[in-house]
Amino acid sequence: AQTVTQSQPEMSVQEAETVTLSCTYDTSESDYYLFWYKQPPSRQMILVIRQEAYKQQNATENRFSVNFQKAAKSFSLKISDSQLGDAAMYFCAYNAGGTSYGKLTFGQGTILTVHP
Amino acid sequence: GAGVSQSPRYKVAKRGQDVALRCDPISGHVSLFWYQQALGQGPEFLTYFQNEAQLDKSGLPSDRFFAERPEGSVSTLKIQRTQQEDSAVYLCASSYASSRGLAGAVYNEQFFGPGTRLTVL
């Protein structure tokens, strides 16, 4: 079974600084997707960024980028120029490719606090 | 159009009561997922529908949990004889189609609803 591990229960960052959230996963599949989701307090889960395992290039979405290390099964999220609105719980998630239909396996989450 | 909606947003039940949680997916979305999120934890998969067909119910924790999507749109998650350990946020998500892992295929993003917070006393 696939597992996703986030070893940082909480992280904090100063506004305008950079922070990196860690995630490791375990799978025997070669074809899969990885995601970072953001869940603000009492608000809906939204997709931040996704990475296809077959792509060597790291995904980037504006201030958000990932460091995908397939051999190490590591998938970290870097948030640059942090803003107060980035404060939320962040979840790393995995989806097997191939014949998978999109079922997500989530990590435990990391609470990100942004200090003004 | 509107996003995924869920009702009620909050539900308090006495232990032993039956509850029904509703999910209205985005119109036209084929795939629908239910997840259970315990306090301070990541969501855990419960069940999956493709149109009206329930293709995976491997995550349902017991036979007290039942889900349906009879017309391929609205879905209901029913919990019978609720227990305290059922207290959680129940999330619904929908996507346009099922994803495929073929190189170059477009992943269809799952859009989440706001969840229903169930508290069992």
Side-chain angles (χ1 to χ4, degrees), chain A residues 9-115:
Chain A
E10 297 182 30
M11 291 286 285
S12 64
V13 64
Q14 290 293 132
E15 197 175 5
E17 297 295 309
T18 296
V19 64
T20 298
L21 308 184
S22 301
C23 172
T24 59
Y25 59 95
D26 187 25
T27 183
S28 57
E29 303 285 339
S30 59
D31 179 22
Y32 51 88
Y33 295 89
L34 294 165
F35 309 86
W36 280 97
Y37 279 88
K38 171 185 177 182
Q39 189 177 43
S42 301
R43 294 186 61 187
Q44 289 168 246
M45 185 100 66
I46 59 173
L47 178 64
V48 174
I49 197 166
R50 95 169 167 261
Q51 175 79 44
E52 291 88 342
Y54 68 87
K55 290 185 177 179
Q56 293 186 344
Q57 186 172 7
N58 289 324
T60 299
E61 289 287 342
N62 301 313
R63 299 182 295 106
F64 298 87
S65 62
V66 300
N67 183 5
F68 174 48
Q69 301 291 325
K70 191 173 184 178
K73 296 180 180 175
S74 169
F75 182 61
S76 61
L77 174 70
K78 185 172 80 171
I79 306 174
S80 304
D81 186 25
S82 298
Q83 301 176 359
L84 295 178
D86 295 334
M89 176 83 98
Y90 285 81
F91 292 99
C92 178
Y94 166 97
N95 163 228
T99 58
S100 168
Y101 48 78
K103 165 185 170 181
L104 294 170
T105 300
F106 288 87
Q108 305 92 321
T110 298
I111 299 172
L112 177 65
T113 302
V114 181
H115 298 288

